[in-house]
Amino acid sequence: MKLSNMTAFLSLLIFILLVAIEARDLVGVERVELPNPASMVTAYWQKMLPHSPMPTAILELLNPPTDVNQGVHGNGYDQVYGNGYDGGYINGYSHSYGNGYSNGYFHKANLHFLEDALKPGSIITPYITGIATRAPFLRRDIADSIPMSTKNFADILAMFSPISLVMADGIQSALDTCEHHRPIKGEERACAMSIESVVEFAMSVLGTRDLRAFSPDIPPEGIMPGNMYKVVAVRAVAGLRGDTVTCHTMRFPFAVFYCHAINPTRVYAVVLESEEDGSGSGSGTPEKMEALAVCHLDTSRFDPKTPLFVEHNLRPGDASVCHFVSRDSVIWAPVAAVITHGDEQVSIAE
């Protein structure tokens, strides 16, 4: 680790320890219990989304660990996203669209590719992150009472104590993202802290209550770089040029989604087969899996220094830019735009 990085890490560690001590001594801050209202979430889903099976990314939050600090190690987020999505993926979008945020996400190798890379038979080395956390949903009234502001950081630590340093770092990053993120022109975004707020945001952006939700079928730990996969099959999931909403979980003691829409997009379900001796990577990764790829069609505001553009001698707006979504992401699309399984193979647009 570079000296500058080590210094920054130690400074952050000292800061979190000091805040944790302060949080321990706070008077009048009530600790929040973490219920698991699985039946409430399921009933709400069935009522509001009768045409959409519940995707894996939501199902996995219905039976979370009892310790809020579990499930936040070893999923690749620290290597890719720094302090979480907000340190790279979320602010990386903004930087690539040119408003000066962190350059983390769009400047990582293997994360982005051109749309024609998804043609069956192509060999790719995907980088897909795993589960950030398996925190439970809170009832909406409880979630809405949490003071989601960086100035209330110590209060939140006290509410969910005991908190690990990794989780405390995630809380700080999520609060900063929700409070300070500047959307690009045309982007719609929200930090959704309950299943109701997630669904309502998607319905509001897409202009319909009739939605389908999708999440990828990949290993919980994701796919780290270096392993080669063949694109076996590709099918369009949601229209050839339409609007979608993507929600990503953030590291927090309860389920918090960062939801945003940068449209127009094309969404593909991509069957990947490992090329590593025909038996996976040897680390438990299945030989075949179905990932979800989102292609952003308007790249005119992307950073011209994005590695994908530099590598292919392209300028912003010359081509669409695609990326796979993480294991715990949910993609929303209007039912009317969803392409049925009768059209399994599709032609990738030029």
Side-chain angles (χ1 to χ4, degrees), residues 140-193:
R140 187 175 198 171
D141 60 324
I142 298 176
D144 288 347
S145 71
I146 306 298
M148 295 289 285
S149 171
T150 51
K151 68 180 181 181
N152 299 117
F153 179 46
D155 289 0
I156 293 174
L157 291 186
M159 290 175 184
F160 297 98
S161 64
I163 291 291
S164 70
L165 289 176
V166 173
M167 179 59 79
D169 185 26
I171 292 171
Q172 182 189 42
S173 297
L175 293 175
D176 185 65
T177 294
C178 294
E179 189 174 14
H180 297 129
H181 177 66
R182 295 175 294 171
I184 65 163
K185 183 179 180 180
E187 179 185 8
E188 298 183 78
R189 43 84 65 189
C191 287
M193 300 185 294

Side-chain angles (χ1 to χ4, degrees), residues 106-163:
F106 269 84
H107 288 257
K108 295 291 186 180
N110 298 332
L111 284 175
H112 298 90
F113 47 87
L114 299 177
E115 198 167 0
D116 60 7
L118 294 176
K119 291 180 178 178
S122 298
I123 304 298
I124 60 176
T125 53
Y127 198 166
I128 311 176
T129 56
I131 297 173
T133 181
R134 288 185 57 211
F137 284 105
L138 290 184
R139 288 202 328 261
R140 187 175 198 171
D141 60 324
I142 298 176
D144 288 347
S145 71
I146 306 298
M148 295 289 285
S149 171
T150 51
K151 68 180 181 181
N152 299 117
F153 179 46
D155 289 0
I156 293 174
L157 291 186
M159 290 175 184
F160 297 98
S161 64
I163 291 291

Side-chain angles (χ1 to χ4, degrees), residues 229 232 272-275 277-281 284-289:
Y229 286 81
V232 176
L272 300 174
E273 182 178 47
S274 173
E275 288 285 290
D277 300 324
S279 59
S281 64
T285 302
E287 185 175 357
K288 283 187 179 182
M289 65 195 73

Side-chain angles (χ1 to χ4, degrees), residues 93 106 111-115 266 294-299 302 306 308-309 314 317 319-323:
Y93 264 122
F106 269 84
L111 284 175
H112 298 90
F113 47 87
L114 299 177
E115 198 167 0
R266 275 192 284 267
V294 176
C295 295
H296 296 279
L297 307 186
D298 180 6
T299 61
F302 276 44
T306 297
L308 188 68
F309 289 158
L314 296 171
S320 58
V321 170
C322 306
H323 61 89

Side-chain angles (χ1 to χ4, degrees), residues 34-281:
L34 291 173
N36 179 22
S39 60
M40 295 172 56
V41 173
T42 301
Y44 175 81
W45 189 279
Q46 292 172 345
K47 176 182 177 182
M48 300 298 293
L49 301 160
H51 299 120
S52 180
M54 190 177 290
T56 302
I58 300 295
L59 284 170
E60 289 181 333
L61 301 182
L62 301 186
N63 185 30
T66 56
D67 181 357
V68 300
N69 298 299
Q70 293 180 11
V72 297
H73 297 281
N75 55 20
Y77 272 67
D78 290 336
Q79 296 95 315
V80 186
Y81 302 116
N83 293 337
Y85 263 118
D86 49 284
Y89 186 86
I90 291 171
N91 290 343
Y93 264 122
S94 300
H95 179 84
S96 292
Y97 277 85
N99 70 356
Y101 266 92
S102 163
N103 63 3
Y105 185 77
F106 269 84
H107 288 257
K108 295 291 186 180
N110 298 332
L111 284 175
H112 298 90
F113 47 87
L114 299 177
E115 198 167 0
D116 60 7
L118 294 176
K119 291 180 178 178
S122 298
I123 304 298
I124 60 176
T125 53
Y127 198 166
I128 311 176
T129 56
I131 297 173
T133 181
R134 288 185 57 211
F137 284 105
L138 290 184
R139 288 202 328 261
R140 187 175 198 171
D141 60 324
I142 298 176
D144 288 347
S145 71
I146 306 298
M148 295 289 285
S149 171
T150 51
K151 68 180 181 181
N152 299 117
F153 179 46
D155 289 0
I156 293 174
L157 291 186
M159 290 175 184
F160 297 98
S161 64
I163 291 291
S164 70
L165 289 176
V166 173
M167 179 59 79
D169 185 26
I171 292 171
Q172 182 189 42
S173 297
L175 293 175
D176 185 65
T177 294
C178 294
E179 189 174 14
H180 297 129
H181 177 66
R182 295 175 294 171
I184 65 163
K185 183 179 180 180
E187 179 185 8
E188 298 183 78
R189 43 84 65 189
C191 287
M193 300 185 294
S194 64
I195 186 63
E196 293 90 347
S197 55
V198 171
V199 172
E200 288 171 7
F201 176 79
M203 289 180 173
S204 173
V205 171
L206 299 175
T208 178
R209 297 170 63 88
D210 202 9
L211 300 180
R212 281 287 304 270
F214 306 88
S215 60
D217 183 14
I218 62 173
E221 67 275 12
I223 302 175
M224 294 298 101
N227 294 325
M228 294 187 297
Y229 286 81
K230 178 188 290 185
V231 176
V232 176
V234 182
R235 61 180 174 85
V237 170
L240 293 181
R241 185 181 181 90
D243 292 348
T244 58
V245 170
T246 303
C247 296
H248 319 279
T249 58
M250 293 195 288
R251 189 177 295 154
F252 216 77
F254 64 91
V256 175
F257 282 83
Y258 181 88
C259 297
H260 66 140
I262 307 174
N263 289 309
T265 59
R266 275 192 284 267
V267 179
Y268 298 104
V270 184
V271 178
L272 300 174
E273 182 178 47
S274 173
E275 288 285 290
E276 305 298 317
D277 300 324
S279 59
S281 64

Side-chain angles (χ1 to χ4, degrees), residues 22-30 155:
E22 177 186 346
R24 182 191 61 191
D25 297 332
L26 284 172
V27 177
V29 177
E30 185 175 349
D155 289 0

